[in-house]
Amino acid sequence: MIDTIIEPRFSETDALGHIGNTVMPVWFEHARSIIFKKLHPSLDIEGWPLIIAHIDVDFIRQAYIGSDVTVKIGISKLGDKSFTVYHEAWQREQKIATGNAVHVFFDFATNSTVAMPEDAREKLKPLLIDDVNQDKN
Amino acid sequence: MIDTIIEPRFSETDALGHIGNTVMPVWFEHARSIIFKKLHPSLDIEGWPLIIAHIDVDFIRQAYIGSDVTVKIGISKLGDKSFTVYHEAWQREQKIATGNAVHVFFDFATNSTVAMPEDAREKLKPLLIDDVNQDKN
Amino acid sequence: MIDTIIEPRFSETDALGHIGNTVMPVWFEHARSIIFKKLHPSLDIEGWPLIIAHIDVDFIRQAYIGSDVTVKIGISKLGDKSFTVYHEAWQREQKIATGNAVHVFFDFATNSTVAMPEDAREKLKPLLIDDVNQDKN
Amino acid sequence: MIDTIIEPRFSETDALGHIGNTVMPVWFEHARSIIFKKLHPSLDIEGWPLIIAHIDVDFIRQAYIGSDVTVKIGISKLGDKSFTVYHEAWQREQKIATGNAVHVFFDFATNSTVAMPEDAREKLKPLLIDDVNQDKN
């Protein structure tokens, strides 16, 4: 899996004193940047090849400011038109959240989903993870 | 279901010209305020009775600035310690996203989950929805 | 001045239990939507006529969730190429913050500032405020 | 000045294709973490010693995703009860924004401003910058 180190921000805390639960999807998306760059290196709006169909997050432990969070990602499924990214967030050697995001290949010009291009599939294959341990402990 | 009207903000758009996908969990949480107020009217940090265990969002259509979004919520499941909120976001008379959030009753003093108090159950019952049409059209 | 009602969101609180200070620029920008719509009714990216040159916020009192915030805006200065928006945020009948934003007319095609178009000046004139009471009480 | 490296996030772009202007105060606050840690190493809510009185940002160039941003901070003024932090944001070797934040020492227990403690002054002194070049090029 590919690691992204995230330094929690004070603006990401909420009144309960820990990181707000709406922040995890932001961190997970940020950790997927490596995938966006592989598929569309310019990161230009022009030709952006993906839409998002689904996200989910399971919260296991609270996250805090004051120590880094590592978000690990890998691809758990490569479909005909879509792929699924699996994420784990770790802080202080504990798994604090897991989640998934489903991206679909999309042609913004015709406003329709398209088959995954073969070169995209080749770029994504090395990120495939065999087995995902999604238990909540 | 209970409606909350949300006016999309310019800061919620992203470089693809529509509302960023990390915004929907923020809107859904905001629509759940009515539930937080029922269960904990002061909204004080002291005695906050819930943690969040899970969120998910299915994205159906893109959201835009320039017209209001209505987020409808209802409770789809009342468990022993937890309850599930079902959300739908509508814009221009089209369903643009659905999703769920699972909240668990929690005692921050003892740092453990607790059974749903009976008075909380009575407050939540009127929000129960019988049947959720989660088709994506 | 033109009022925009804002319902503070749980995700906008921070660990100190009140609304985080990075939220006020978001609310102020949202309150300026009325100006963006006057100058560029489609809100389309194409032809967006403005860039932002400056923002400032003076924080007077803390903001909380649980009661609405009213952001009042007016134009305090109309220049040759730019205009200044003055903002006040009120909650529970107390002024909690004031601030300014300077927008400059800009041609994204040539990447340069341009003179304020006459029709824009006419649309902005009714928002001019004579006198701004910027005292902090 | 002290540098903080920030990797712009996709969720921080806006519909104009660059980083939204409400993001800069978030990055600037994040860059001030080093100061918060010096003054209040636990980062606990209990005993948090500061409130914020003012922020401002001058936008010089647009910020983009795809390359890191460096935020440099230093203290431009040490007052009796307050101090001013000066910030510069740089991307691709160009200064893209500058700004200031005024923090005031505050006792949340008595809800009033207090004199800057001597040990705080000693911790902040090494961050003082002599001369701030606030030209916009």
Side-chain angles (χ1 to χ4, degrees):
Chain A
M1 296 178 80
I2 300 176
D3 289 8
T4 299
I5 307 294
I6 287 169
E7 211 180 331
R9 300 172 178 175
F10 194 80
S11 55
E12 294 172 334
T13 58
D14 69 19
L16 295 173
H18 50 76
I19 300 299
N21 71 73
T22 59
V23 174
M24 203 58 77
V26 174
W27 291 353
F28 281 3
E29 181 183 71
H30 184 55
R32 295 196 300 278
S33 298
I34 185 76
I35 293 178
F36 303 151
K37 283 177 196 159
K38 273 180 188 287
L39 295 179
H40 189 60
S42 71
L43 294 180
D44 262 8
I45 310 162
E46 292 294 317
W48 192 269
L50 297 172
I51 54 170
I52 194 155
H54 172 88
I55 58 170
D56 62 67
V57 181
D58 285 300
F59 297 94
I60 304 168
R61 284 186 180 78
Q62 294 172 14
Y64 299 92
I65 48 166
S67 61
D68 286 349
V69 168
T70 301
V71 178
K72 298 170 173 294
I73 63 161
I75 291 180
S76 57
K77 188 180 161 192
L78 273 178
D80 291 336
K81 294 179 157 189
S82 68
F83 61 93
T84 303
V85 181
Y86 171 71
H87 316 64
E88 291 183 354
W90 291 75
Q91 190 176 38
R92 297 172 187 164
E93 297 179 18
Q94 292 191 305
K95 187 158 56 174
I96 59 172
T98 62
N100 301 282
V102 179
H103 284 283
V104 182
F105 283 86
F106 195 80
D107 183 342
F108 281 88
T110 61
N111 211 37
S112 58
T113 58
V114 293
M116 185 183 305
E118 271 315 300
D119 65 324
R121 187 177 303 272
E122 290 310 309
K123 286 173 184 165
L124 295 176
K125 266 184 187 168
L127 303 180
L128 268 171
I129 45 179
D130 289 334
D131 185 18
V132 175
N133 177 15
Q134 283 176 299
D135 71 82
K136 291 205 177 182
N137 297 300
Chain B
M1 296 177 81
I2 300 176
D3 289 8
T4 299
I5 307 294
I6 286 168
E7 211 179 331
R9 300 172 179 175
F10 194 81
S11 56
E12 293 172 335
T13 59
D14 70 17
L16 295 173
H18 51 77
I19 300 299
N21 72 72
T22 58
V23 174
M24 203 58 78
V26 173
W27 291 354
F28 281 3
E29 182 183 70
H30 184 54
R32 295 197 299 277
S33 298
I34 185 76
I35 293 179
F36 303 151
K37 284 177 195 160
K38 273 179 188 287
L39 294 179
H40 189 60
S42 71
L43 294 180
D44 262 9
I45 310 161
E46 292 295 318
W48 191 268
L50 297 171
I51 53 169
I52 194 155
H54 172 86
I55 58 169
D56 62 68
V57 182
D58 285 300
F59 298 94
I60 304 169
R61 283 186 181 78
Q62 294 173 12
Y64 298 92
I65 49 166
S67 61
D68 286 349
V69 168
T70 302
V71 177
K72 298 170 174 294
I73 63 160
I75 290 180
S76 58
K77 188 180 163 193
L78 273 178
D80 291 336
K81 294 180 157 186
S82 69
F83 60 94
T84 303
V85 181
Y86 170 71
H87 316 64
E88 290 183 354
W90 290 74
Q91 191 178 38
R92 299 174 187 163
E93 299 178 16
Q94 293 192 305
K95 186 157 57 174
I96 59 172
T98 62
N100 301 282
V102 179
H103 283 282
V104 182
F105 283 85
F106 194 79
D107 182 343
F108 280 88
T110 62
N111 210 35
S112 57
T113 58
V114 293
M116 185 183 304
E118 272 314 301
D119 65 325
R121 187 177 302 273
E122 291 309 309
K123 286 173 184 167
L124 294 176
K125 267 186 186 166
L127 303 181
L128 269 171
I129 44 179
D130 288 336
D131 185 19
V132 174
N133 176 13
Q134 283 176 299
D135 70 83
K136 291 207 178 179
N137 296 301
Chain C
M1 295 176 82
I2 300 177
D3 289 9
T4 299
I5 307 294
I6 287 168
E7 211 180 330
R9 300 173 178 175
F10 194 80
S11 56
E12 294 172 335
T13 59
D14 70 18
L16 295 172
H18 50 76
I19 300 298
N21 72 71
T22 59
V23 174
M24 203 58 77
V26 174
W27 291 354
F28 281 3
E29 181 183 69
H30 185 54
R32 295 197 300 278
S33 297
I34 185 76
I35 293 178
F36 302 152
K37 283 177 195 160
K38 273 179 188 287
L39 294 179
H40 190 58
S42 71
L43 294 180
D44 263 9
I45 311 161
E46 292 295 317
W48 192 269
L50 297 171
I51 53 169
I52 194 155
H54 172 87
I55 59 170
D56 62 68
V57 182
D58 285 300
F59 298 94
I60 304 168
R61 284 187 181 79
Q62 294 174 13
Y64 298 92
I65 48 166
S67 62
D68 286 349
V69 168
T70 301
V71 177
K72 299 170 173 294
I73 63 161
I75 290 179
S76 58
K77 189 180 162 194
L78 273 177
D80 291 336
K81 294 178 157 187
S82 70
F83 61 95
T84 302
V85 181
Y86 171 71
H87 317 63
E88 290 183 354
W90 291 74
Q91 190 177 39
R92 298 173 186 165
E93 298 178 18
Q94 293 191 306
K95 187 157 55 174
I96 59 172
T98 62
N100 301 283
V102 179
H103 284 282
V104 182
F105 283 86
F106 195 78
D107 183 343
F108 280 89
T110 61
N111 212 36
S112 58
T113 59
V114 294
M116 185 184 303
E118 271 315 301
D119 65 325
R121 188 176 302 272
E122 290 310 309
K123 287 173 184 165
L124 294 176
K125 268 185 185 167
L127 303 180
L128 269 171
I129 45 180
D130 287 336
D131 186 18
V132 174
N133 176 14
Q134 284 176 298
D135 71 83
K136 292 206 176 180
N137 296 301
Chain D
M1 296 178 81
I2 300 177
D3 289 8
T4 300
I5 308 294
I6 287 169
E7 211 180 331
R9 300 172 178 175
F10 194 80
S11 56
E12 294 172 334
T13 59
D14 70 18
L16 295 173
H18 50 76
I19 300 299
N21 71 73
T22 58
V23 174
M24 203 57 77
V26 173
W27 291 353
F28 281 3
E29 181 183 70
H30 184 55
R32 295 196 301 277
S33 298
I34 185 75
I35 293 178
F36 302 153
K37 283 177 196 161
K38 274 180 187 287
L39 295 179
H40 189 59
S42 71
L43 293 180
D44 263 8
I45 311 161
E46 293 294 318
W48 192 268
L50 297 171
I51 54 170
I52 194 154
H54 171 87
I55 58 169
D56 62 68
V57 182
D58 285 300
F59 298 94
I60 303 168
R61 284 188 180 78
Q62 295 173 12
Y64 298 92
I65 48 166
S67 61
D68 286 350
V69 168
T70 301
V71 178
K72 299 171 174 292
I73 63 161
I75 291 180
S76 58
K77 189 180 161 192
L78 273 177
D80 291 336
K81 295 178 157 190
S82 69
F83 61 93
T84 302
V85 181
Y86 170 71
H87 316 64
E88 290 183 354
W90 291 74
Q91 190 177 39
R92 298 173 187 163
E93 297 178 18
Q94 292 191 305
K95 186 158 55 173
I96 59 172
T98 62
N100 302 282
V102 179
H103 284 282
V104 183
F105 283 86
F106 195 79
D107 182 343
F108 281 88
T110 61
N111 211 35
S112 58
T113 58
V114 293
M116 185 184 303
E118 271 315 300
D119 65 324
R121 187 177 303 273
E122 289 311 309
K123 287 174 184 165
L124 295 175
K125 266 185 187 168
L127 303 180
L128 268 171
I129 46 180
D130 288 335
D131 184 19
V132 175
N133 176 15
Q134 284 176 299
D135 71 82
K136 291 207 177 181
N137 297 301

